[in-house]
């Protein structure tokens, strides 16, 4: 168990389903770093517990099902650290987007995919007209849909 693994105070017990995800985080070097990340995570709505470990560079987060993974990553980023993905059963995907033509297209596609919970390690490559990212099957489908809704035709 990490140094900062206390339960969030004043959390009411409910019948909601609790899930656990492990976030990979770069830039933590000391106990102060771990405390800063812990406090940022437990402030995100839906988070019940956060176990931050500087040695492994991880935060094991217990949260209500449906808690925004984007908000969790943003909280860590806003605290000054780099959320680099999620540990677990994610698969690396590569999608061709032949109608990607410029840097504006790259930014639009990246923003669309970043908005999908469960997607990490996003890379949009204009030269190869491709998007690569890690996700589970459900998030993959949503990412393809997000690219389509942004006005592109992923293959």
């Amino acid at each position: 168990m990490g140094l900062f693994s206390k339960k969030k105070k004043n959390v009411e017990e409910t019948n909601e389903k609790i899930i656990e995800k492990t976030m990979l985080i770069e830039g933590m070097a000391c106990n102060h770093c771990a405390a800063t990340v812990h406090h940022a995570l437990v402030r995100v709505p839906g988070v019940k517990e956060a176990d931050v470990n500087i040695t492994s560079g991880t935060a094991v987060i217990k949260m209500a099902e449906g808690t925004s993974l984007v908000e969790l990553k943003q909280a860590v980023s806003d605290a000054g650290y780099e959320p680099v993905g999620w540990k677990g059963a994610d698969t690396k995907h590569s999608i061709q987007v032949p109608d990607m033509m410029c840097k504006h297209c790259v930014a639009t596609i990246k923003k669309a995919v970043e908005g999908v919970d469960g997607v990490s390690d996003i890379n949009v490559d204009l030269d190869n007209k491709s998007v690569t990212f890690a996700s589970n099957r459900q998030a993959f489908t949503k990412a393809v849909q997000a690219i389509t809704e942004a006005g592109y035709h992923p293959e």
Side-chain angles (χ1 to χ4, degrees), residues 86-130:
W86 299 95
K87 189 175 183 180
D90 290 350
T91 303
K92 194 76 168 177
H93 304 281
S94 184
I95 302 170
Q96 294 302 124
V97 186
D99 48 348
M100 181 183 350
M101 299 296 172
C102 64
K103 289 181 181 180
H104 174 75
C105 296
V106 169
T108 301
I109 292 168
K110 185 169 184 176
K111 184 177 179 180
V113 176
E114 284 176 336
V116 176
D117 281 346
V119 173
S120 62
D121 302 324
I122 303 162
N123 182 38
V124 182
D125 185 343
L126 179 59
D127 293 334
N128 293 319
K129 296 182 185 268
S130 66

Side-chain angles (χ1 to χ4, degrees), residues 3-121:
L3 182 62
F4 293 93
S5 60
K6 292 182 180 179
K7 289 184 179 182
K8 190 174 176 180
K9 290 184 178 182
N10 299 323
V11 175
E12 294 180 22
E13 296 298 321
T14 66
N15 290 332
E16 65 190 342
K17 183 177 179 188
I18 303 299
I19 61 170
E20 182 177 288
K21 298 261 313 165
T22 301
M23 180 187 288
L24 307 173
I25 304 167
E26 290 183 354
M28 296 187 298
C30 64
N31 290 337
H32 177 75
C33 297
T36 301
V37 170
H38 175 264
H39 293 300
L41 289 169
V42 296
R43 288 187 179 112
V44 174
V47 173
K48 306 302 179 192
E49 295 180 41
D51 180 8
V52 180
N53 187 309
I54 56 173
T55 305
S56 63
T58 62
V60 178
I61 307 161
K62 291 184 181 177
M63 63 192 125
E65 188 174 43
T67 300
S68 172
L69 300 182
V70 172
E71 284 184 48
L72 290 169
K73 291 192 300 187
Q74 189 63 50
V76 171
S77 183
D78 289 349
Y81 301 91
E82 181 65 29
V84 294
W86 299 95
K87 189 175 183 180
D90 290 350
T91 303
K92 194 76 168 177
H93 304 281
S94 184
I95 302 170
Q96 294 302 124
V97 186
D99 48 348
M100 181 183 350
M101 299 296 172
C102 64
K103 289 181 181 180
H104 174 75
C105 296
V106 169
T108 301
I109 292 168
K110 185 169 184 176
K111 184 177 179 180
V113 176
E114 284 176 336
V116 176
D117 281 346
V119 173
S120 62
D121 302 324

Side-chain angles (χ1 to χ4, degrees), residues 126-154:
L126 179 59
D127 293 334
N128 293 319
K129 296 182 185 268
S130 66
V131 180
T132 57
F133 57 89
S135 73
N136 59 32
R137 182 180 214 94
Q138 183 179 12
F140 170 78
T141 303
K142 289 180 180 178
V144 171
Q145 182 179 1
I147 294 168
T148 302
E149 289 172 359
Y152 298 90
H153 301 90

